[in-house]
Structure formats: C-alpha cells, structure tokens
Amino acid sequence: MLNEKRKFLVIDVLLIAMMVVPLVFAMVLKVLTTPESDGVNITGALIYFTIDMPFNTSLPITETQVNSWLVIISITGLCLYLTHGIKEKADTKRQLAAEWIVEKCDGLVGENMDKFFSNFAPFIAAVLGLSAFSSLMSLLGLFAPTSDINTTAGWAILVFILITYYKFKCGLPHYLKSFGEPVKLLAPINIISEFATPVSMAFRHYGNVLSGSVISVLVAAGLQGLSSMILGKIPGFLGDFPLLQIGIPAVLSIYFDVFSGCLQAYIFAMLTMMYVSDGFPAEDYEKRRNKQRKAA
C-alpha cells in the first residue's frame, strides 16, 4: 500500500515537472539568446538556426516553433496530471476539475454545433487550450506563438480543410451547387468568401494578440521615460526609480495578455464550430444516407 502511494506521488511529481520544466526552459533560452538592446525593441520571433532543405531552400527554426512545442508538452502534462488516478466516482479536486472541463466543452459543442458533431469536443478543447496557453506565455516575458501569423494561419488552414471536408459530405455536385445559393449571380462573391474565411480567422487572432503586446511595450517604455523626466532631477536612487511603471503595466497586462488572449481563443473556437457546423448540409446528408440505405 505504501509503495503504491509512493509510486503515485512520484508520477505526480514527474507530471508537474512536465508542466513546469518546458516553461522554465523557454525562459532560460529567452535570456540566453535575446541580444542586448537600448530603448524600445519590438521584433518578431527569434531565429535559432536554419536547416538546409532540398531545392536550395532552408527551414528556419524559430522562437514560435519552439514555444509552440513547449506549450504542447506543458498542456499534455496538465491533462495527464488531471486524469492521473481517475476513478468512476470523483473524489479528488483534480478529477472534479477535469470533469468540469469536459462538461463545459461538451456543452459548448452541443449548443453551437449540429448533433452530428457530438464527438468534436476534444478538438475544440485542444483549440481553446493551445490558443489560450500560447497567448498567456507573454505573462512570463516569452514570445507568444499566437503573435506570429504563421501559427494562426496554420490553425485557420486546418479549420478550412475541415469546413471543406464536411461540405463534401454530399458529394462534389452538391458542393459546387452551394456557391450559387441563394442566387447564381452571387457565385463569385461566395467563392471569394470561401477563401476569405481562413484569412480573416488567421489575421483576427494574430492581430489582436500582437497589437496587445506592442501596446503594452510602448506604454511601459513611455512610462519609464515619463518617470525619468519627473524624478530625474532628484539625487540618489530615487532619480532612477521607475515610479510610474508600478501598477499600470500590470493592469494593461491583465487586459491584453489574460483577458484578450483568452477571449481570442474563445472567438477562434466559436468561429471554428460555427463555420464547420454551418458548412455541413445536415438535412441533405440525411436524405442522401436514407436513399443509400433504401438502395442497399
């Protein structure tokens, strides 16, 4: 019995380390690789190294890719920790938290998608978790993967593939016919709208996260300059004390990093559910299945 408890505790410690170590590694890597600079410095993701590829091209390994994988590892550790020692009847806070997350995701999918997509909850939970935690990395002074257009564009392309896949459920003729609804004259606009969907999803998420980070940096730098101008004439350490940087940047961080980051994750998940569910011709699909059953 004692050995089982020790084994359980050791696994818990390893799972907690799986959550924490990637973030610590990211912070250490950030400190070691960020070049020194004076004043305001707003740049994109750092390029760690490049890999030579065929056809005279190269693949850059950037801060975005590394941080994205570290977030995935941390989320995986969190999921394993919450479900470690799970039982039929919840008797621990972690299992209650896990069940609450599952219930909320199931409810979110049930309210916003057709019943055909009842098994979509894990995918939506992954979208929410990856997006929110990626944006929240800025709280640790790390580069948020969601402030890179390549990240959000990749997610948007994946959603676009899902939308197209479910639109094809009734066959190619039905898919092509949908561009002429409600009238055939709108077909060119519907085609443009089809490809504008992933573009708008990518730029909305990326733009909001990036703009929040830029505004926070600019305000913090401005407050530092204003503080130096007001207190600079005072001799001693008070002249260098960044008085105006106390409190205000933290309030901005709560909005731009926490609220806005989580809000954008929720919006992206909602748009994913809406576009996939609305693009699926549920009634026509059922009619087609019934015809196939009768024919069989």
Side-chain angles (χ1 to χ4, degrees):
M1 188 69 177
L2 186 60
N3 289 333
E4 290 182 1
K5 287 184 178 180
R6 286 180 179 175
K7 184 179 178 180
F8 189 89
L9 183 60
V10 169
I11 294 175
D12 266 0
V13 171
L14 292 175
L15 293 176
I16 292 172
M18 188 176 177
M19 290 186 278
V20 176
V21 170
L23 302 179
V24 175
F25 174 79
M27 289 187 283
V28 172
L29 189 64
K30 178 77 172 179
V31 172
L32 294 177
T33 57
T34 302
E36 295 183 5
S37 61
D38 297 327
V40 181
N41 185 27
I42 301 174
T43 61
L46 291 173
I47 299 176
Y48 293 128
F49 59 90
T50 58
I51 301 174
D52 292 332
M53 302 293 288
F55 307 109
N56 214 14
T57 58
S58 60
L59 173 66
I61 303 301
T62 68
E63 204 172 5
T64 300
Q65 294 159 297
V66 173
N67 286 357
S68 294
W69 277 106
L70 294 176
V71 168
I72 291 172
I73 294 171
S74 292
I75 293 176
T76 303
L78 175 62
C79 294
L80 292 174
Y81 176 78
L82 291 176
T83 55
H84 182 217
I86 197 168
K87 298 178 182 178
E88 185 177 353
K89 185 178 181 181
D91 59 353
T92 60
K93 292 182 179 179
R94 73 170 77 178
Q95 184 170 340
L96 290 172
E99 290 183 359
W100 180 83
I101 293 171
V102 171
E103 289 174 0
K104 289 298 179 183
C105 290
D106 283 339
L108 195 64
V109 171
E111 292 173 3
N112 295 282
M113 302 188 78
D114 186 84
K115 61 181 181 180
F116 181 83
F117 299 97
S118 58
N119 60 347
F120 236 64
F123 177 75
I124 296 303
V127 170
L128 281 168
L130 185 58
S131 177
F133 279 92
S134 295
S135 298
L136 292 175
M137 288 193 82
S138 57
L139 290 173
L140 302 176
L142 302 173
F143 182 82
T146 45
S147 60
D148 189 331
I149 185 62
N150 295 292
T151 300
T152 56
W155 298 349
I157 291 172
L158 175 60
V159 172
F160 178 70
I161 293 172
L162 283 173
I163 296 169
T164 307
Y165 170 76
Y166 284 106
K167 282 186 176 182
F168 263 93
K169 280 290 187 178
C170 287
L172 179 60
H174 186 280
Y175 174 72
L176 296 175
K177 184 181 176 182
S178 65
F179 288 110
E181 296 176 353
V183 291
K184 293 182 179 180
L185 290 175
L186 294 178
I189 297 176
N190 289 333
I191 293 173
I192 294 172
S193 176
E194 186 81 358
F195 291 98
T197 297
V199 175
S200 64
M201 290 183 71
F203 276 93
R204 179 186 290 107
H205 199 336
Y206 151 78
N208 280 281
V209 175
L210 178 64
S211 61
S213 300
V214 171
I215 291 172
S216 296
V217 171
L218 292 176
V219 170
L223 290 172
Q224 183 181 10
L226 184 60
S227 183
S228 298
M229 184 177 66
I230 296 174
L231 303 176
K233 296 180 181 180
I234 301 176
F237 76 94
L238 289 176
D240 299 325
F241 187 71
L243 179 64
L244 298 180
Q245 282 190 302
I246 298 175
I248 299 177
V251 174
L252 290 175
S253 180
I254 291 174
Y255 175 77
F256 289 118
D257 295 331
V258 180
F259 176 74
S260 182
C262 294
L263 178 63
Q264 292 307 315
Y266 178 76
I267 291 173
F268 194 92
M270 289 295 294
L271 289 175
T272 298
M273 290 187 288
M274 182 184 72
Y275 286 136
V276 172
S277 184
D278 290 350
F280 175 63
E283 294 183 3
D284 294 336
Y285 180 70
E286 279 299 320
K287 291 178 182 178
R288 187 184 185 191
R289 288 187 65 184
N290 291 332
K291 288 182 180 179
Q292 290 175 344
R293 288 169 186 165
K294 291 178 181 179

